[in-house]
Amino acid sequence: MKKDFDGWNDQKKSIDERAHAPLYHEGEVRWCRLGTNIGFEQDGTGNGRARPVLILKGFSRQVCLVVPLTSSQKKNPYHVSAGRIGGRDAFAIISQVRLIDTKRLDQPLVYLEHAVFERIRKAVRNLF
């Protein structure tokens, strides 16, 4: 399937004009406009090329560290269970952790339970 990079570029321009997200919090799951990316980088597949992400670390009002979530279960150490989100099993793709501008953040979904959040955060730390 051919990716629509031109369409994403048009969307990116409008996202760049947005104000930064209102307050966000570590441990929060939000929709995030990840867009259309190269190769095996995780794309946004939902409305507006968005997908749920877990906010791992806030650095400022403008940038934060996130890990994309998926409903696809894989038996590898880079997919860590995040529990049920929106009635579906969710998994953090810790190999896809990335810094984003908070202009990409959209609607909040849920807060992860503290123990689940800490388990995912520990798994990300162990990558390095």
Side-chain angles (χ1 to χ4, degrees):
M1 181 171 101
K2 186 173 179 176
K3 292 187 175 189
D4 180 17
F5 291 109
D6 292 332
W8 169 237
N9 193 45
D10 290 339
Q11 277 190 310
K12 244 189 336 187
K13 290 174 188 176
S14 68
I15 291 169
D16 188 58
E17 293 172 0
R18 294 172 59 182
H20 289 280
L23 291 179
Y24 62 89
H25 301 280
E26 294 174 6
E28 183 177 34
V29 175
R30 282 188 173 231
W31 284 103
C32 180
R33 295 175 185 263
L34 290 181
T36 302
N37 295 298
I38 307 261
F40 290 96
E41 296 170 354
Q42 195 65 44
D43 288 327
T45 57
N47 185 25
R49 293 182 170 95
R51 93 165 26 253
V53 298
L54 170 63
I55 298 172
L56 290 175
K57 179 78 175 167
F59 294 107
S60 69
R61 184 150 187 237
Q62 293 81 26
V63 293
C64 62
L65 191 66
V66 301
V67 61
L69 302 180
T70 184
S71 59
S72 298
Q73 182 177 8
K74 294 191 177 173
K75 301 260 188 218
N76 71 47
Y78 306 114
H79 278 225
V80 179
S81 176
R84 292 190 60 82
I85 297 173
R88 300 172 76 174
D89 289 334
F91 301 89
I93 312 168
I94 63 170
S95 60
Q96 296 276 333
V97 65
R98 64 189 272 190
L99 183 77
I100 63 156
D101 189 291
T102 61
K103 290 179 182 182
R104 291 180 182 265
L105 293 175
D106 278 330
Q107 300 301 319
L109 291 167
V110 297
Y111 282 93
L112 287 189
E113 293 178 18
H114 183 73
V116 174
F117 176 63
E118 287 301 323
R119 183 170 31 83
I120 293 170
R121 202 155 73 164
K122 183 178 180 183
V124 170
R125 274 196 305 263
N126 288 339
L127 282 174
F128 306 102

